[in-house]
Amino acid sequence: MEKKLIVTYGEDVQKMTKEVLEKAELEKMIPKGARIGIKPNLVVAKPASSGATTSPAIISALIEYLQEYGNSDILILESSWIGDHTRRAFKVCGYEEISRKYGIPLFDIKSDTYSVKSYGGISMEISNKVLAMDFLINVPVLKGHCQTMITGALKNLKGCISDREKRRFHTMGLHRPIAYLNKILTSNFILVDSLCGDLDFEEGGNPVKMNRIFCGTDPVLIDAYIAATMGYSPEDIGHIKIAADIGVGDLDIDKAEIVVINKDTTKVHPVFPTKVKRLARYTEAKEACSACYANLIHALARLDEKGLLQRFKNTPIKIGQGYKNLRCDGPGVGNCVSGAEHVVKGCPPSTKAIRAFLEEYVKGRQGK
Ligand code: SF4
């Protein structure tokens, strides 16, 4: 498995998706005549703008790419969470239209038969249709999760098991069975929708615009990158750590090659959902790029969990191109705010760097 991630930023989803796929040379990985399964995240019947589900624009571009390279045996497979109907999610999320346009069938895993597979003493019922695929393309959404903290490539495979098994996974605390499931079922390629994922809930409602798409072949590395992007240490996320320990992949993103095709230049949208709005009160943004601002919001969410936000009540954090060449008080985020009293450099700075900087600032130890 290659320790490499291909990342791009922007708003032209079609172009961005094809760029990362070309750069990753996905076509060379697919065996000739392979049955290709595409597994999006359609956990609920809500549009991608809610922060819960995989953008249909990414899936469309992926299918076009696959078809341009002569792949014709393609299937989209999913099982929404218990309590929602996958068929309804296909419709609401725009997948019926994709199916019609590209002639790609949609398959509801809830209606499948299952085979029992085991790893490490845990057995689980896995969709026979998924098992019959020659090449599985996992297309998760980068977002938070109220129990597992983050959800990405590893957890997205939970949609490949029976509803009965999903219930049982919860009784086992999710982390271990999710990691073991990924030992049984291989994601041959992972394309991550990091355009607009929820801050901390799987079912959406607090979307954070990030304008990012990235891909790779190692689901552990992908999820480690997601965790870091959201301000967590990958080692602290149970299923990522267990998956690394049992050899599903490598969580050391510091040793990975991260190729960035395009930086983000789009400006942040001024309207936020409630929770993000609450965190945004501690910021003063002027023409901030979306990816930069998203990193700050994720860092603030981590500080909020530790009760550290009050320090910024009267000294909001400055961010954005509107601060270029200006001197200003208090903390600043990004190269544009290098005239701030205290600043974390980067374009954009990572969530990890912002979090560390703000924690130091709260402790009063932050120098310029
Ligand atoms: S540092 Fe400035 S230019 Fe760079 S990403 Fe942040 S806001 Fe945009």
Side-chain angles (χ1 to χ4, degrees), residues 1-5 24 29 216-218 221 257:
M1 237 177 296
E2 238 191 336
K3 298 188 192 335
K4 185 174 173 182
L5 300 179
M29 301 176 201
T217 54
D218 180 339
L221 192 65
E257 184 188 355

Side-chain angles (χ1 to χ4, degrees), residues 68-123:
E68 278 160 20
Y69 279 99
N71 298 286
S72 55
D73 196 350
I74 305 169
L75 181 67
I76 297 174
L77 317 101
E78 176 56 317
S79 164
S80 297
W81 70 2
I82 299 160
D84 217 329
H85 299 286
T86 316
R87 286 276 155 208
R88 206 164 77 87
F90 280 144
K91 187 181 173 64
V92 171
C93 300
Y95 284 63
E96 284 190 352
E97 218 175 301
I98 292 175
S99 174
R100 274 193 299 273
K101 184 171 174 189
Y102 300 102
I104 301 292
L106 305 172
F107 186 79
D108 179 2
I109 290 171
K110 285 179 197 273
S111 66
D112 203 5
T113 55
Y114 306 93
S115 291
V116 175
K117 302 280 176 187
S118 305
Y119 178 80
I122 297 181
S123 47

Side-chain angles (χ1 to χ4, degrees), residues 1-6 20 23-26 28-29 187-190 215-222 248-252 255-259:
M1 237 177 296
E2 238 191 336
K3 298 188 192 335
K4 185 174 173 182
L5 300 179
I6 314 284
V20 294
K23 190 83 181 166
E25 301 185 312
L26 169 62
K28 291 187 181 164
M29 301 176 201
S187 296
N188 300 98
F189 189 79
I190 305 119
C215 65
T217 54
D218 180 339
V220 179
L221 192 65
I222 288 269
V248 176
D250 189 343
L251 56 65
D252 191 351
K255 288 202 183 125
E257 184 188 355
I258 299 182
V259 180

Side-chain angles (χ1 to χ4, degrees), residues 143-151 155 174 200-202:
K143 57 182 174 175
H145 189 274
C146 57
Q147 291 157 291
T148 55
M149 316 309 278
I150 68 122
T151 161
K155 190 171 170 299
L174 288 176
D200 45 17
F201 293 114
E202 187 179 19

Side-chain angles (χ1 to χ4, degrees), residues 9-314:
Y9 294 89
E11 287 191 306
D12 186 341
V13 178
Q14 178 90 356
K15 182 169 165 279
M16 290 159 67
T17 306
K18 289 192 179 175
E19 267 174 4
V20 294
L21 298 177
E22 290 289 357
K23 190 83 181 166
E25 301 185 312
L26 169 62
E27 82 286 356
K28 291 187 181 164
M29 301 176 201
I30 303 173
K32 205 169 165 40
R35 284 165 296 182
I36 301 171
I38 297 176
K39 166 67 180 74
N41 184 332
L42 303 181
V43 60
V44 286
K46 285 185 186 175
S49 56
S50 71
T53 53
T54 304
S55 159
I58 291 186
I59 299 294
S60 297
L62 169 63
I63 291 169
E64 282 180 19
Y65 171 92
L66 293 170
Q67 291 183 334
E68 278 160 20
Y69 279 99
N71 298 286
S72 55
D73 196 350
I74 305 169
L75 181 67
I76 297 174
L77 317 101
E78 176 56 317
S79 164
S80 297
W81 70 2
I82 299 160
D84 217 329
H85 299 286
T86 316
R87 286 276 155 208
R88 206 164 77 87
F90 280 144
K91 187 181 173 64
V92 171
C93 300
Y95 284 63
E96 284 190 352
E97 218 175 301
I98 292 175
S99 174
R100 274 193 299 273
K101 184 171 174 189
Y102 300 102
I104 301 292
L106 305 172
F107 186 79
D108 179 2
I109 290 171
K110 285 179 197 273
S111 66
D112 203 5
T113 55
Y114 306 93
S115 291
V116 175
K117 302 280 176 187
S118 305
Y119 178 80
I122 297 181
S123 47
M124 49 190 87
E125 293 176 343
I126 298 182
S127 154
N128 283 326
K129 192 63 107 180
V130 175
L131 290 169
M133 295 293 117
D134 300 310
F135 196 89
L136 187 62
I137 303 179
N138 185 348
V139 197
V141 178
L142 183 161
K143 57 182 174 175
H145 189 274
C146 57
Q147 291 157 291
T148 55
M149 316 309 278
I150 68 122
T151 161
L154 295 167
K155 190 171 170 299
N156 196 33
L157 291 195
K158 189 162 156 272
C160 298
I161 60 178
S162 67
D163 272 5
R164 179 168 55 184
E165 211 59 84
K166 287 180 199 162
R167 285 191 194 92
R168 213 165 64 88
F169 268 37
H170 283 272
T171 67
M172 291 187 275
L174 288 176
H175 291 288
R176 187 163 298 278
I178 287 171
Y180 285 15
L181 168 62
N182 279 268
K183 194 71 182 171
I184 297 168
L185 209 53
T186 301
S187 296
N188 300 98
F189 189 79
I190 305 119
L191 174 64
V192 183
D193 174 354
S194 178
L195 297 169
C196 171
D198 193 274
L199 184 65
D200 45 17
F201 293 114
E202 187 179 19
E203 68 268 38
N206 290 291
V208 180
K209 193 176 175 193
M210 295 166 282
N211 287 350
R212 188 196 291 114
I213 293 175
F214 58 100
C215 65
T217 54
D218 180 339
V220 179
L221 192 65
I222 288 269
D223 279 12
Y225 186 71
I226 289 176
T229 299
M230 297 189 71
Y232 296 109
S233 295
E235 300 79 13
D236 294 341
I237 309 290
H239 60 284
I240 299 179
K241 177 76 171 66
I242 298 167
D245 288 346
I246 60 174
V248 176
D250 189 343
L251 56 65
D252 191 351
I253 42 172
D254 292 335
K255 288 202 183 125
E257 184 188 355
I258 299 182
V259 180
V260 179
I261 300 177
N262 274 319
K263 288 200 165 193
D264 186 29
T265 52
T266 55
K267 303 295 179 306
V268 73
H269 199 282
V271 180
F272 302 119
T274 319
K275 180 149 189 194
V276 180
K277 202 187 283 171
R278 190 172 65 73
L279 297 172
R281 279 196 207 117
Y282 300 94
T283 74
E284 238 169 52
K286 280 187 197 169
E287 300 168 32
C289 298
S290 302
C292 201
Y293 198 74
N295 286 358
L296 173 57
I297 289 294
H298 282 125
L300 288 176
R302 302 294 76 81
L303 262 71
D304 190 26
E305 286 160 6
K306 293 180 161 183
L308 296 179
L309 286 186
Q310 283 313 305
R311 176 77 168 80
F312 304 103
K313 204 172 163 197
N314 298 316

